[in-house]
Structure formats: structure tokens, C-alpha cells
Amino acid sequence: MVRFHEKILEIAEGIRTMRIRGAGKIARSAAEALKIAAETYSGEPDPELFRKYMNEAAKLILATRPTAVSLPNAVYYVMYALESNLGFKELREAVIARAEEFIRNSLEAVRKIGEIGARRIKQDSVVLTHCHSTAAATVIITAYKMGKIRKVYSTETRPFYQGRITARHLIEAGVPVVQVPDSSVRYIMHEVDQVVVGADTIASNGALVNKVGTSQVTLAAHEARVRVFVAAETYKFSPMTVIGELVPIEYRDPTEIVPKEWIDKHPNVTVLNPAFDVTPPEYIDAIITEEGVIPPQAAILILMEKFGWALEKIKQGVKQSVSFEDSIEG
Amino acid sequence: MYEELFKHGYAKRDTGTSLVFTLIDELRDSASTGDLGRVVEKYKQLVEKIMRDRPASYGAINALRLIGEYLLSKGLEGFMEYLDSLRRKYDRDCWEAARVAANRIVDGDVLITISNSLCVRRVFKLLVDQGRKFEVYVMESRPGMEGLDTASYLNDLGVKSYLIVDSAARFFMKNVKKAVIGAEAIAVNGAIVGKVGTSLLSLIANEARVRVFVVAPLYKFSLETIHGELVKLPEGDWRLLMSPDVRKSLPNEYRARAPLYDVAPANYIDGIATEYGLFAPQAIPVIIKQVYGSFPPRIRSLDEIGKLLEEKIGGGA
């Protein structure tokens, strides 16, 4: 068993317990953990041993959240550095550089998405958002600074109340925000001009996997002919879905919904707590990435452009030093 | 009991029908004094309270109308017996509507429901008594989370149920055969006023081609909507969503709206189960005509009745 620096274990634990949450933050934390792993490697200066050690670190990180595609994409991006035929010192530097590059690009992506997305917001808009997404919040805040937003409705987002994080985030930026319960999205939709949500994962057909409730928010928007925009960095697109893999939906602990004593007193009640749901592409008007606006059905374009190198390997079934399969099991 | 639940704004509240029973009990108490003035005073208080707290609750509004009319025409003569017969009628109608709805459920059905409705509970009870096998998805139904009370009821009946957050309704709809819901009021065009989320649930059910049945005895019908009145939909604020302690942890500028009811359009409803049978929501004027003898029925508003009662007391004293 390899022993890792405690900071790495802390990040892994943080992702598992949702102290670190949101696909973007998870991805950046994963890259950060791999960077720390490379920096704190204390074994023999041998490229093969270093590769093995990094592999173990990658596995540890990948096992934390089975569904966040940003996690394997970030890990895969960083681990790609190990493919090059270099000596130990250069290899280690390459890993660190790639991790830093990922973090930098990711933060830059949010800023770009904010700019591009804000252009799509109409003057004097009332915007509704679900859950908490840094990318979606950045679109809203950027549009607000351009004087385009009158009001934001933010859903509470049970069971974890990520909507309260959104409310805090927007309040800090001075945006007028009103929280509403998830059950009231159809009631409130007639006041809404546009919906902006983030993404956990985007499948190759343009379907969006995001916080549970997203699909019914978009259904209610669709019914009311309210436009729906998804703010998503390109590393949220899932290469594995190209070969038909399903995106597994994680079920979380029922005590997030009701306390354990309630569950114990109700043996005939099963409390089900799926973390995500799937929004079909027809309910999405556009996906806003740092590369530009695309219709959801063109998701495959992003996958080919951004993950072409990975796609080839996935299709060939070549067992990678870190395989995607490790990450989607369970 | 469940301290932690209060952090989420869990609160016990009367269902539309049990609210009527409470009303009748309170009037019974004041009528036992034999003083018409006091009964009218109590009556006016109750009208005020309902219009403030539950203005969409037509079970209560219609009961108050009937009681007011009785007081106008007969005063306290036979009043106790009248209250008892009214209570029995409401109780019977609720059971009958439940029986009609239960007939639509077949062995092996998987149902979904929202909130906590007495007449929907009775559907479940009848099905269990008839030995029919079924399972129920129960939405927690924020604000208030009275879905938990429905789940508790099903637990005690020995029925397998699944408690889910309101956001997960569409996720699980693919497993569901029928939606069975209660109503706070039914408008003349067949629109259903229900606990907030009802319209979202019926939209989601429709998208998945899941049938939606509303269990609503005729006392839930809003006769006022015939004359173009809108059913008033009350809203609360953060107090319905969290405890004061939780509120303290949020920024001062934090604002919340907590709507209590919403309106599901008639075209998302497959049938309304009443004590007269199962009807298409658009057929409501037909039953109203059948029951009241004319359409529109001749009714007085609670305001009018209140004023007349005052004159009656004033004149009598």
C-alpha cells in the first residue's frame, strides 16, 4: 500500500463527503491532489515506480465520486503527462505542469462562459437557476453587471440546500435573489424569462446529467416556452458515453433527507435519494462552453475536438494507465 | 419528536377535510352556550381565519356557507343536529370519493402522491382492506413536508412506500403507473388547486403518460369561480422553509417565497373522483347542475351571509 500525503487524503475525503462539491471544484481539487502527489513523491527516482505511484493516487481520487465526469476527465488530463517517454525528473515536472494547466484553464473557462452566457441573457430578465453551479452563477453575475438582470429565483435544491449557497453567492455579488422551494418551479415559471443551470455531465447525445430536479425545471420551462441554457465547461462532456456507456446515477444516504430515527421508525418506507437526473436534449436551448455556444445535439463536436486523443484509445479498448472503467464502476 | 425535521420547516397541518371537522367542532362548542350572538361571533372569527390562512380551502369555505345559511334561516334551532349531519355528510362524501378512486387502482399498481390528503389516505385504506397490492412514491412536499405524514400513514397500513424529495418526481415517474392526489379546491373549468407541486407533478405525469386522478368530493368545488372569481393562493416566507436558527446562519439579505398552492390545468387531469362518480374535469358544470338543480347555482358569498347574520342579530336584540 502506498502512503499518500495527508493533503491528498483530505481532498479525497472532501470530495466523498461533498465538502468539496460542484463539478468544477471537484475537477480542480482532483488536479490539485495529483499535483501534490507528484510534488510529495518520496520513492526511488525511477519513472516506472513514479508512474505506478501516480496510478495509485489517481485511483484513490477516482473512487471518491462515481458519477462526476469532471473527475475522471481532470485525472485523465493530468495523467496524460505520464504517456511521454521522459526521465523521472522531467516526468514529475510534466505532471505538475499539466495539473497547473488544468486548474488555470478551468478557472479561465468559467470566466469565458460568464461572458458568452451573459450575452444570451435578455434585457430586464428574471432568471431561474437550480442548485449551485459556479459556471451558471458566473453567467448570472456577469449579466447582472451588464444591467440585464432584474431578479433571480434560486431553488432550494433538496436535500442538501445547495440553493442556499447560490443565494449567498449571488447576494455577495449584489444580485437580487429570491429562494423558492423545488416544488414551486411550475408556479413561479410564468414570471421567469430564462433558465440557467450548470452541468455535472453532458452525454454525447447532448443529454444533461445534473442535480436531481434539473429535468423537471427544464420540463416546466419547456411547457412555458422559457429558454433553458446550460453553462458547462468542456471537461463536463463525457467521452465514455460515445461508446454507449451509461452515466450511472449515484444514490446518496437517505439521512440527507430525513433523520435516522425517522427511518428506523418506518420500516415499510424506503427513502430514495438519487443525486442526479437526466434532462433530454430537446429541453435545452443551448449549452454554453468556454469554446462557444452549441446546441446540445452537437455535444459530439466538443467531445471530438477536446477528447479526440482519449476517444481513439477508448474505441480501441486499449487499457490505459488509468482507465475510465475504474471511475464508472459502482 | 424529530428535532432535526424542524430545521427543514416540517410542520403538522390540517388537511382540507380535517380542517372542516375542526371548524364544526369549534362551532359546536360555542353553540353549547345557546347564545346566537356568540355563535355568530365565533362564525365570523372562523370565516376571517380561513380567508386569512386557507383562502383556497373550499371544503371549509363551502361548509361555512352552508352553516351560515342555516343560522340565517333557522338560528340555533336544531343547529347541533345540523352540524352533526354536515359532519357526517362530509365524512361520507370523502369515503365515497375514495371508493370511486380506489376502483381505478388494480393489483400491482405503483402510485405517486404529494402532500397529505384525508380522502387520498382513505383510498389507500380501502385498497388495503380489499387486499389489493400496490406501492406508493410519496413526495416530501415542501414547504411543510407533510408528505412525511402520508408516508407514516402508509407505513402503519403496511404498504410499501418510497419517500423522495420533490425534485425527484420526474426521475422516478418512469416507475409509476398512476398519480393519485387530493385537492384544496376545484375550479369550474376543471383546474385543480392543490398543494404547491401538484401542478408540477401532473405536468411530469402527463409527459410520461401516467394517468392523474384527483380525489375530491363535491364540497371542494369553488362555486365562486363560476362568477369569474380567482381562487386566492396564499404564500409564506422563509419561516415555512427552516427554523429561526438556520435562518440566522444565512445572510441578512436572504429572501424566500414559499407558495403553498398551485393550479394544475384540467388538461393534465384524467379524472376527478367524487361521491357522484368519476368525472372528466371539464364536466364539472354538468355535476353542479345535477346537484344544485341549476347552473349557475344560486349561492351567496360568505361576505353577504356575514352581513345578513349581523342584521339578524342586530334586529333580534
Side-chain angles (χ1 to χ4, degrees), chain A residues 45-317:
Chain A
D46 172 74
E48 260 329 292
L49 288 177
F50 178 66
R51 280 196 183 93
K52 269 191 189 146
Y53 159 87
M54 285 305 297
N55 226 344
E56 289 300 315
K59 274 187 186 152
L60 172 83
I61 299 297
L62 285 171
T64 52
R65 275 307 277 281
T67 53
V69 74
S70 63
L71 182 67
N73 277 355
V75 169
Y76 207 74
Y77 187 93
V78 176
M79 298 295 279
Y80 192 60
L82 293 170
E83 303 268 307
S84 41
N85 202 7
L86 296 169
F88 163 70
K89 200 164 167 283
E90 293 78 15
L91 205 56
R92 168 144 92 174
E93 275 163 13
V95 169
I96 295 171
R98 224 169 140 80
E100 285 171 348
E101 183 182 280
F102 182 88
I103 296 169
R104 212 170 38 242
N105 286 352
S106 158
L107 292 170
E108 181 59 13
V110 170
R111 196 188 60 75
K112 279 192 193 150
I113 288 169
E115 270 177 21
I116 298 171
R119 292 193 195 110
R120 292 300 302 251
I121 304 296
K122 285 183 285 188
Q123 208 59 41
D124 199 32
S125 276
V126 175
V127 171
L128 182 140
T129 187
H130 183 59
C131 195
H132 177 251
S133 149
T134 306
T138 307
V139 169
I140 291 169
I141 291 168
T142 311
Y144 177 73
K145 287 185 178 152
M146 293 163 76
K148 287 178 157 188
I149 288 185
R150 179 150 45 94
K151 183 163 48 170
V152 175
Y153 284 115
S154 146
T155 54
E156 291 188 292
T157 319
R158 280 278 286 156
F160 232 82
Y161 300 111
Q162 285 93 337
R164 292 180 186 164
I165 301 169
T166 300
R168 194 185 289 273
H169 189 164
L170 295 179
I171 285 168
E172 278 165 11
V175 183
V177 54
V178 177
Q179 194 113 81
V180 293
D182 307 316
S183 54
S184 68
V185 291
R186 188 177 180 277
Y187 173 95
I188 222 84
M189 196 56 79
H190 70 97
E191 290 180 33
V192 173
D193 298 302
Q194 288 166 315
V195 169
V196 181
V197 292
D200 197 78
T201 301
I202 290 172
S204 60
N205 64 343
L208 162 69
V209 181
N210 196 42
K211 174 56 60 190
V212 70
T214 304
S215 82
Q216 51 192 60
V217 169
T218 59
L219 170 64
H222 187 72
E223 183 205 26
R225 302 191 56 177
V226 168
R227 295 232 183 275
V228 175
F229 300 116
V230 177
E233 299 92 323
T234 50
Y235 59 78
K236 308 272 181 74
F237 289 67
S238 163
M240 282 309 282
T241 57
V242 177
I243 59 157
E245 285 286 346
L246 294 170
V247 178
I249 301 293
E250 177 188 5
Y251 278 73
R252 298 189 59 83
D253 200 307
T255 56
E256 287 181 0
I257 298 180
V258 281
K260 190 173 177 303
E261 44 170 344
W262 193 96
I263 295 168
D264 290 345
K265 279 206 180 119
H266 296 84
N268 295 322
V269 182
T270 305
V271 182
L272 297 175
N273 184 16
F276 305 101
D277 67 11
V278 183
T279 300
E282 58 267 29
Y283 294 161
I284 300 167
D285 290 281
I287 301 176
I288 296 153
T289 76
E290 72 273 22
E291 302 290 334
V293 178
I294 60 158
Q297 292 82 355
I300 190 70
L301 177 74
I302 296 285
L303 282 164
M304 289 191 310
E305 288 286 314
K306 283 276 167 179
F307 300 99
W309 45 273
L311 284 182
E312 270 322 297
K313 281 174 182 136
I314 289 165
K315 276 188 213 150
Q316 288 160 12

Side-chain angles (χ1 to χ4, degrees), chain B residues 125-202:
Chain B
K125 176 76 170 74
L126 288 166
L127 289 171
V128 168
D129 290 348
Q130 292 164 11
R132 244 169 282 183
K133 298 270 174 294
F134 64 104
E135 293 182 351
V136 189
Y137 282 87
V138 182
M139 292 162 71
E140 65 172 357
S141 315
R142 286 176 68 75
M145 297 176 82
E146 66 276 3
L148 267 61
D149 298 336
T150 301
S152 289
Y153 180 79
L154 286 164
N155 181 75
D156 297 346
L157 276 183
V159 174
K160 172 95 199 138
S161 73
Y162 305 94
L163 181 70
I164 60 172
V165 294
D166 302 320
S167 275
R170 188 173 180 277
F171 182 86
F172 288 110
M173 194 55 78
K174 58 184 178 290
N175 304 343
V176 169
K177 281 278 179 55
K178 284 156 196 160
V180 179
I181 56 181
E184 190 82 348
I186 312 252
V188 69
N189 62 350
I192 307 295
V193 180
K195 176 68 194 297
V196 69
T198 300
S199 83
L200 184 62
L201 170 62
S202 44

Side-chain angles (χ1 to χ4, degrees), chain B residues 236-274:
Chain B
D237 60 11
W238 64 265
R239 288 171 191 84
L240 298 178
L241 301 171
M242 65 191 78
S243 65
D245 273 353
V246 175
R247 175 64 186 86
K248 274 185 209 135
S249 69
L250 293 165
N252 268 335
E253 300 90 331
Y254 178 88
R255 295 281 171 277
R257 272 174 77 179
L260 287 167
Y261 303 101
D262 65 11
V263 184
N267 54 318
Y268 292 160
I269 309 298
D270 291 281
I272 301 180
T274 73

